[in-house]
Amino acid sequence: MNPIKIAVLAGDGIGPEVMREAIKVLRAAEKKFGFSVETTEAPVGWAGIDAAGKALPDATLALCKKSDAILFGSVGLPDRDPTIPKEERPERAALLRIRKEFGLYANLRPVRLPPALAHACPLTPERQGDGIDILVVRELTGGIYFGQPKKTEDLGAGNFRATDTLVYTTPEIERIAHVSFKAARLRRKKLTSIDKANVLENGVLWREVVTRIGKEYPDVALEHMFVDNGAMQLMLRPTQFDVLLCENMFGDILSDEAAALAGSLGMLPSASLGATSHGTTFGFYEPAGGSAPDIAGKNLANPIAQILSVSLMLRYSFGLNAAADGIETAVTKAIGAGNRTGDIFSAKESGARKIGTREMGDAITANI
Ligand code: IPM
Ligand code: MG
């Protein structure tokens, strides 16, 4: 088998240090499970601006285009934002641009609270039930993040008018609905579709289309929920959810909320997938959390979200399920053995050891 070609874009903030650990784990999995990977690093975000004057340098984009998958860290350094126009900032000029450029419309964010981390969940034990295990499916290339017009007009006298446009078409809703129903089939066969159909035109269309597509999946139980109620239900009774289907902005918000249930945003990986052609799916894999500049370079960041992003990559883009399982088991074992980065550490927990980014990467690598 030809080596799998991965573009490695570590980006800013904690990106490089968590990426280092993820590559360590990838290399260990490569040896153990007998596949072959070729990784090429390239700058993105502020690292791209510093290296080549653009958040997504041409050479980085060219590398992505000839790769089989993109392993991404995180971008953005808010302190530097005022120095360049907002369209050129990494979130828009690199991250959103890549999502659009590669048609990565399906964002999968699996939220799991491992039993060993029950203490890190802000909910009382009764509300955690037998454990939290939710897959947030977020539509990623439509909605209010991309709709036109998107502009700020000067109304004079110090007043402005800002416009963003929330727009979805039937095919955009259909394809993300299919992804969600298929994912639910492989899990507990329940799909909760989130919308705001009581107020938004988009919500009405969303609900109609998802209901219609649902007829093709009679084995999956479909329910609809308004987003405000969904946000509340996530806190009150998260165990009722299996797959949560959301449009772009609702998914952005609810996936952060759901991540808090899993103990930390540092635990949440994500896969952004485009269309499947010739049996392979081009994918973009990144932690759902941000660049966390406040803790960058201090060996404090939790590398687990980045490491689990590697496992999603092996699973979704390359069908290397045994290797993906191997990485997930290694993470569970490392946590089970009491290894904790600061974000998931509690002094009250007996047998827990507070360690750094590198040590967590080593502990997981040792379990591969
Ligand atoms: C995410 C992030 C991004 C988003 C930001 C950094 C643009 O919050 O992936 O959830 O809003 O999509
Ligand atoms: Mg977000």
Side-chain angles (χ1 to χ4, degrees):
M1 181 173 139
N2 289 332
I4 295 164
K5 290 203 248 43
I6 312 290
V8 176
L9 316 186
D12 307 319
I14 60 171
E17 62 200 286
V18 294
M19 186 64 86
R20 207 172 302 127
E21 302 314 312
I23 297 298
K24 215 190 261 174
V25 172
L26 174 62
R27 289 296 174 203
E30 178 186 28
K31 257 200 217 104
K32 166 97 190 223
F33 294 94
F35 57 92
S36 152
V37 194
E38 187 184 297
T39 58
T40 311
E41 292 177 23
V44 72
W46 283 99
I49 294 170
D50 292 340
K54 288 209 267 190
L56 183 61
D58 298 344
T60 300
L61 181 59
L63 168 72
C64 292
K65 285 189 173 155
K66 61 181 188 61
S67 301
D68 301 315
I70 303 171
L71 188 60
F72 196 86
S74 49
V75 291
L77 297 174
D79 285 356
R80 292 180 64 181
D81 278 351
T83 62
I84 55 171
K86 52 188 186 296
E87 299 76 22
E88 292 171 23
R89 293 175 193 160
E91 289 85 344
R92 289 199 207 185
L95 193 52
L96 266 62
R97 166 104 196 277
I98 290 176
R99 288 174 180 171
K100 200 70 179 174
E101 179 88 33
F102 291 94
L104 305 169
Y105 67 91
N107 182 221
L108 310 183
R109 300 187 162 181
V111 177
R112 233 172 260 136
L113 176 67
L117 288 188
H119 70 274
C121 175
L123 301 188
T124 55
E126 307 81 74
R127 293 197 196 282
Q128 296 176 23
D130 295 330
I132 296 165
D133 182 2
I134 302 171
L135 177 67
V136 180
V137 178
R138 170 186 176 195
E139 200 292 326
L140 203 60
T141 51
I144 200 165
Y145 288 29
F146 291 97
Q148 292 296 335
K150 187 178 195 74
K151 60 181 176 186
T152 304
E153 295 154 283
D154 191 340
L155 301 179
N159 295 318
F160 295 84
R161 178 168 54 214
T163 306
D164 294 280
T165 305
L166 172 50
V167 52
Y168 272 107
T169 61
T170 303
E172 285 178 300
I173 304 170
E174 285 173 345
R175 62 183 184 177
I176 194 71
H178 280 295
V179 169
S180 312
F181 280 109
K182 286 186 183 134
R185 256 189 185 160
L186 298 175
R187 295 171 47 98
R188 303 192 302 279
K189 299 190 170 54
K190 180 171 177 199
L191 177 63
T192 306
S193 176
I194 298 290
D195 63 45
K196 188 71 186 169
N198 50 350
V199 179
L200 300 177
E201 292 294 314
N202 268 273
V204 174
L205 182 63
W206 187 271
R207 195 171 278 221
E208 272 171 23
V209 174
V210 174
T211 303
R212 173 165 54 74
I213 299 299
K215 302 232 171 2
E216 298 175 36
Y217 301 85
D219 51 324
V220 177
L222 169 65
E223 68 173 6
H224 301 277
M225 202 177 270
F226 295 140
V227 61
D228 46 353
N229 184 29
M232 181 175 73
Q233 294 297 330
L234 264 175
M235 286 298 114
L236 294 181
R237 208 161 59 80
T239 52
Q240 70 185 285
F241 296 114
D242 178 13
V243 177
L244 208 55
L245 164 61
C246 309
E247 63 87 49
N248 201 344
M249 182 163 68
F250 294 162
D252 186 20
I253 297 168
L254 293 189
S255 62
D256 270 28
E257 187 188 357
L261 299 177
S264 163
L265 203 46
M267 299 290 295
L268 188 62
S270 90
S272 304
L273 309 174
T276 299
S277 67
H278 312 296
T280 64
T281 304
F282 186 84
F284 175 95
Y285 300 87
E286 61 171 333
S291 57
D294 51 323
I295 58 164
K298 297 181 181 156
N299 198 39
L300 289 175
N302 185 346
I304 291 180
Q306 189 76 61
I307 290 167
L308 290 175
S309 297
V310 169
S311 116
L312 292 182
M313 174 179 84
L314 297 178
R315 193 184 299 286
Y316 290 125
S317 279
F318 308 113
L320 293 165
N321 293 326
D325 290 345
I327 292 176
E328 284 164 22
T329 306
V331 168
T332 307
K333 278 193 191 152
I335 290 171
N339 295 295
R340 305 278 185 270
T341 41
D343 56 323
I344 52 175
F345 176 78
S346 157
K348 286 192 230 119
E349 205 196 347
S350 65
R353 202 168 45 258
K354 192 167 178 179
I355 57 172
T357 310
R358 206 172 307 116
E359 293 71 33
M360 183 62 101
D362 289 340
I364 294 167
T365 305
N367 285 317
I368 295 286

